[in-house]
């Protein structure tokens, strides 16, 4: 009987052990399936490129497209910036200095109104519609590098400063909690953001100044109208311009206008102060990029509609900052132009002009003496007209690219 009981006990123990083994296998299978599901979700949520590089790509795309679409306004602005006009000429119609006459037209506006409209008509008349898009290659290239590089450096500088401040706060603690401070929890002050923005802008000046100089010189060319008028051959393109400048003027000529360009980094500071004032008084902020599902964000156009107040404040701040620092843009353009140029006259014709600007101080004195304070604001109207559409285009493209790259998380 004892043997029978022992046998039954042994059978029961083996059965219990077998059932436990089956349960463990089922549990392991469930855990394995869950792990696979988690890995799949993680893979789906993984961005296409590193998060730190995403602003570079998105900024590059937004900046290049807005520049290409609004280049005609920029061309008009640049021509108005470099056009010399004495204070006497602003009060009376000057004697004709047209080297190449042209038939009278509606472009012969009074000298006081010789502005964007006259310049637009003149460019189309002498160069065709294609004349409005001169300098397209360096403009898009420079804008892409500037926007992309600026976003990349600015975000990188902010990340490094946050990490440094987080580590400093951890070391300064005297308790034994050993609590880790996340860099993302560090809030930078307005002045720190301004310093980082100026630093990023200053770095990009040295990378992009040669591109902007070549772009400006290509924009000011009038190839068709200048045939037989110039002693110097017009540039055939961006590479030819670079080679010709280095050969005729030296490699440092590519960095003309660097002084005003560096001072223009203060543009961001003025814009930031105005924007913060508007934001605090009107209580409008930029909507976050939020997911509406696991693999989709809120539509960009819907975000744009909700961001109209934000964009309006940004455009206002941009216009104020651009107008305040506009004299620096004029100085930079005057310093960067070629010594011999063909320009439009008040009567709608063209003439050859010899220009030789040397140094910021002498350029300021020359403009003030010959043109007065108005000389520092030539082309400010077409420049202001570029701001709102440029902000909207950049916003839509930037957000769309960030969505396409699947950079997760909410951003404000």
């Amino acid at each position: 009987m004892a043997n029978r009981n022992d046998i039954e006990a042994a059978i029961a123990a083996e059965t219990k052990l077998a059932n436990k083994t089956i349960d463990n296998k089922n549990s392991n299978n469930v855990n394995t399936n869950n792990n696979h599901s988690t890995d799949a979700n993680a893979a789906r949520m993984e961005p296409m490129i590193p998060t730190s590089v995403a602003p570079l790509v998105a900024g590059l795309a937004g900046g290049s497209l807005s520049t290409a679409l609004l280049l005609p306004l920029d061309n008009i602005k640049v021509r108005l910036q470099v056009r010399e006009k004495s204070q006497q000429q602003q009060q009376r119609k000057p004697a004709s200095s047209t080297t190449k006459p042209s038939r009278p037209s509606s472009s012969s506006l009074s000298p006081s109104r010789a502005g964007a409209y006259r310049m637009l008509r003149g460019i189309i008349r002498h160069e065709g519609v294609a004349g409005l898009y001169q300098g397209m290659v360096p403009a898009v290239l420079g804008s892409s590098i500037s926007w992309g590089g600026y976003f990349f450096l600015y975000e990188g500088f902010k990340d490094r400063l946050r990490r440094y401040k987080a580590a400093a706060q951890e070391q300064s603690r005297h308790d034994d909690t050993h609590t880790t401070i996340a860099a993302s929890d560090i809030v930078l002050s307005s002045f720190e953001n301004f310093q980082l923005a100026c630093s990023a802008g200053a770095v990009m000046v040295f990378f992009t100044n040669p591109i902007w100089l070549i772009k400006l010189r290509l924009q000011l060319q009038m190839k068709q109208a200048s045939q037989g008028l110039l002693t110097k051959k017009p540039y055939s393109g961006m590479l030819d311009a670079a080679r010709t400048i280095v050969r005729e003027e030296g490699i440092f000529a590519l960095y003309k206008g660097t002084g005003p360009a560096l001072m223009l980094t203060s543009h961001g500071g003025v814009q930031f102060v105005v924007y913060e004032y508007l934001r605090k008084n009107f209580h409008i902020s930029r909507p976050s990029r939020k997911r509406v599902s696991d693999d989709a964000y809120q539509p960009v156009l819907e975000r744009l509609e909700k961001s109209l107040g934000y964009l309006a404040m940004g455009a206002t701040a941009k216009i104020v900052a651009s107008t305040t620092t506009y004299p620096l843009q004029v100085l930079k353009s005057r310093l960067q132009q070629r010594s011999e140029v063909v320009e439009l006259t008040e009567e709608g014709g063209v003439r050859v002009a010899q220009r030789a600007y040397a140094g910021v101080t002498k350029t300021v004195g020359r403009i003030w003496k010959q043109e007065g304070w108005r000389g520092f604001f030539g082309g400010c109207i077409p420049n202001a007209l570029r701001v709102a559409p440029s902000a909207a285009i950049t916003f839509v493209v930037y957000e769309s690219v960030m969505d396409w790259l699947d950079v997760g998380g909410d951003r404000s």
Side-chain angles (χ1 to χ4, degrees), residues 350-371:
V350 293
R351 66 183 173 193
V352 177
Q354 302 290 337
R355 303 282 167 75
Y357 289 93
V360 175
T361 304
K362 291 183 179 179
T363 302
V364 171
R366 178 173 171 176
I367 296 174
W368 181 262
K369 182 179 179 180
Q370 295 182 355
E371 305 171 56

Side-chain angles (χ1 to χ4, degrees), residues 2 12 15 46 64 102 109 112-113 137 152 155 188 212 248 284 294 330 360 373 383 385 394:
T15 302
E46 189 71 22
S64 60
S102 58
L109 302 175
S112 61
R113 295 181 58 200
V137 174
F152 180 73
E155 294 298 330
L188 302 180
W212 293 130
E248 295 180 351
I284 300 175
D294 290 340
V330 174
V360 175
W373 64 269
N383 180 70
L385 293 177
T394 303

Side-chain angles (χ1 to χ4, degrees), residues 4-14:
R4 184 178 179 182
N5 291 336
D6 292 340
I7 292 172
E8 289 178 352
I11 293 173
E14 290 178 0

Side-chain angles (χ1 to χ4, degrees), residues 247-320:
R247 183 177 66 251
E248 295 180 351
E249 307 173 52
I251 191 170
F252 290 107
L254 294 172
Y255 287 90
K256 288 182 177 180
T258 301
L262 287 173
M263 288 187 283
L264 274 170
T265 57
S266 62
H267 173 106
V270 177
Q271 182 177 348
F272 181 81
V273 170
V274 176
Y275 175 78
E276 285 298 310
Y277 173 81
L278 295 174
R279 186 179 64 83
K280 291 177 181 178
N281 284 274
F282 292 95
H283 308 288
I284 300 175
S285 60
R286 178 178 181 176
S288 301
R289 294 177 64 246
K290 296 182 178 181
R291 289 183 180 273
V292 294
S293 64
D294 290 340
D295 56 355
Y297 290 103
Q298 183 183 17
V300 173
L301 293 181
E302 184 177 334
R303 250 179 282 156
L304 175 64
E305 182 180 355
K306 293 181 178 179
S307 301
L308 290 179
Y310 161 81
L311 290 175
M313 288 194 308
T316 302
K318 182 76 172 178
I319 291 174
V320 173

Side-chain angles (χ1 to χ4, degrees), residues 141-216:
L141 179 62
S143 182
S144 300
I145 295 176
S146 295
W147 277 93
Y150 177 82
F151 278 123
F152 180 73
L153 291 174
Y154 180 55
E155 294 298 330
F157 288 164
K158 286 200 300 183
D159 182 64
R160 287 179 178 271
L161 182 58
R162 286 195 186 106
R163 291 177 183 272
Y164 172 80
K165 296 186 74 171
Q169 288 186 19
E170 287 183 6
Q171 293 179 359
S172 64
R173 288 189 172 184
H174 300 289
D175 53 18
D176 297 329
T177 57
H178 300 293
T179 304
T180 302
I181 300 176
S184 58
D185 295 334
I186 300 297
V187 179
L188 302 180
S189 66
S190 300
F191 183 67
E192 288 172 332
N193 279 307
F194 170 64
Q195 286 181 310
L196 296 178
C198 289
S199 299
V203 172
M204 293 311 302
V205 165
F206 292 99
F207 283 102
T208 59
N209 196 79
I211 301 176
W212 293 130
L213 182 140
I214 293 172
K215 168 215 165 230
L216 180 136

Side-chain angles (χ1 to χ4, degrees), residues 12-266:
E14 290 178 0
T15 302
K16 184 177 181 180
L17 180 60
N19 291 334
K20 185 177 181 180
T21 302
I22 293 173
D23 292 339
N24 289 336
K25 288 182 178 180
N26 291 334
S27 178
N28 289 335
N29 289 335
V30 171
N31 291 334
T32 302
N33 291 334
N34 289 336
N35 290 335
H36 286 315
S37 177
T38 302
D39 293 340
N41 290 333
R44 187 175 66 250
M45 296 294 291
E46 189 71 22
M48 296 175 62
I49 62 175
T51 305
S52 59
V53 183
L56 169 65
V57 178
L60 187 149
S64 60
L65 184 59
S66 64
T67 298
L69 293 177
L70 300 173
L71 188 62
L73 283 174
D74 188 65
N75 278 348
I76 295 171
K77 177 201 74 173
V78 167
R79 290 183 181 277
L80 292 172
Q81 284 179 338
V82 301
R83 180 175 58 89
E84 289 185 343
K85 192 174 184 180
S86 66
Q87 298 186 60
Q88 289 77 16
Q89 286 177 324
Q90 295 172 13
Q91 298 174 2
R92 70 175 187 273
K93 188 173 181 178
S96 176
S97 58
T98 306
T99 305
K100 188 175 182 179
S102 58
R103 64 183 183 277
S105 68
S106 59
S107 62
S108 58
L109 302 175
S110 62
S112 61
R113 295 181 58 200
Y117 178 72
R118 181 191 63 80
M119 196 65 67
L120 173 64
R121 291 290 302 270
I123 294 173
I124 295 176
R125 199 164 147 209
H126 291 287
E127 300 293 309
V129 177
L132 296 172
Y133 292 90
Q134 290 183 148
M136 171 70 80
V137 174
V140 173
L141 179 62
S143 182
S144 300
I145 295 176
S146 295
W147 277 93
Y150 177 82
F151 278 123
F152 180 73
L153 291 174
Y154 180 55
E155 294 298 330
F157 288 164
K158 286 200 300 183
D159 182 64
R160 287 179 178 271
L161 182 58
R162 286 195 186 106
R163 291 177 183 272
Y164 172 80
K165 296 186 74 171
Q169 288 186 19
E170 287 183 6
Q171 293 179 359
S172 64
R173 288 189 172 184
H174 300 289
D175 53 18
D176 297 329
T177 57
H178 300 293
T179 304
T180 302
I181 300 176
S184 58
D185 295 334
I186 300 297
V187 179
L188 302 180
S189 66
S190 300
F191 183 67
E192 288 172 332
N193 279 307
F194 170 64
Q195 286 181 310
L196 296 178
C198 289
S199 299
V203 172
M204 293 311 302
V205 165
F206 292 99
F207 283 102
T208 59
N209 196 79
I211 301 176
W212 293 130
L213 182 140
I214 293 172
K215 168 215 165 230
L216 180 136
R217 292 196 177 188
L218 290 175
Q219 286 178 311
L220 294 177
Q221 288 191 150
M222 300 187 71
K223 290 184 178 181
Q224 298 180 23
S226 63
Q227 292 180 4
L229 298 180
L230 295 174
T231 59
K232 295 182 179 180
K233 182 181 178 182
Y235 305 127
S236 61
M238 182 176 176
L239 294 179
D240 178 62
R243 287 193 296 262
T244 304
I245 292 170
V246 173
R247 183 177 66 251
E248 295 180 351
E249 307 173 52
I251 191 170
F252 290 107
L254 294 172
Y255 287 90
K256 288 182 177 180
T258 301
L262 287 173
M263 288 187 283
L264 274 170
T265 57
S266 62

